[in-house]
Amino acid sequence: RTGPDGAPPVANVSHTLGGAALGEAGLKRRTRYGNAALMIASNLPDLDVLVFVTDTPSVSFRRGCTHGVLAQLLLPVALTAVIWLADRVARRGGDDEGTPLRVGWLLLLSYLGVYSHVFLDLLNNYGIRLLAPFDWRWFYGDAVFIIDPWLWLALGAGIWVSRRNRM
């Protein structure tokens, strides 16, 4: 079964596993919410799925503005601001134990997550509009299918081994 734009609904498994794998590589320890930032950011460009609640034809909008150059610059900043604000609200009056929140690292991890998403989408046979909103041409690598169980297996195994070795 496919989603409204023809893309499989499980396509974000790769993005989530990619973010988790980056976290398991040690990046999640750089700041509080590091792992969450990586996994959320690596799915963030797919905010354009919200087009399905409108009358806009989904294929004409998907993988456009939220995958383009402006979004690549702005989405990580927005995510960092939301996480920082949520941390401020959550810690109001509470203790500040645990890994400290380092905004610079949080921003860097958010950029890394967003760019990992764009790179993975660029590799597949569906492609993205990399230069949107300035140019609406499609770019695609045609290197992997949009659902790649081998990629899931490799990323999942890497995460499992990393967590198992830490015990």
Side-chain angles (χ1 to χ4, degrees):
R1 189 171 164 209
T2 60
D5 67 344
V10 294
N12 284 71
V13 170
S14 299
H15 297 304
T16 304
L17 286 172
L22 289 169
E24 289 303 317
L27 293 174
K28 69 181 182 181
R29 291 186 288 277
R30 299 294 177 183
T31 182
R32 182 182 308 137
Y33 309 118
N35 214 30
L38 284 162
M39 289 191 288
I40 293 168
S42 61
N43 283 284
L44 203 52
D46 279 343
L47 275 174
D48 57 7
V49 300
L50 296 176
V51 74
F52 300 136
V53 298
T54 71
D55 291 332
T56 306
S58 59
V59 174
S60 66
F61 187 79
R62 286 280 286 140
R63 295 188 175 194
C65 284
T66 60
H67 288 69
V69 291
L70 289 180
Q72 292 172 33
L73 295 173
L74 299 176
L75 286 175
V77 174
L79 178 61
T80 300
V82 167
I83 292 174
W84 176 81
L85 185 59
D87 180 67
R88 299 281 295 180
V89 169
R91 300 221 175 262
R92 188 175 299 163
D95 60 39
D96 211 14
E97 291 184 27
T99 306
L101 181 72
R102 296 182 178 103
V103 176
W105 271 106
L106 192 59
L107 182 61
L108 182 65
L109 297 179
S110 295
Y111 271 108
L112 188 58
V114 166
Y115 287 128
S116 75
H117 180 108
V118 171
F119 179 71
L120 283 173
D121 279 0
L122 188 59
L123 284 178
N124 69 38
N125 57 340
Y126 190 70
I128 60 171
R129 293 177 177 151
L130 186 62
L131 303 175
F134 306 111
D135 186 345
W136 291 94
R137 281 184 292 152
W138 285 91
F139 293 84
Y140 56 95
D142 217 7
V144 294
F145 185 62
I146 196 165
I147 294 181
D148 191 341
W150 296 110
L151 182 61
W152 296 350
L153 185 62
L155 289 170
I159 293 166
W160 179 75
V161 167
S162 175
R163 290 185 177 184
R164 186 168 178 247
N165 286 342
R166 221 183 4 241
M167 290 183 191

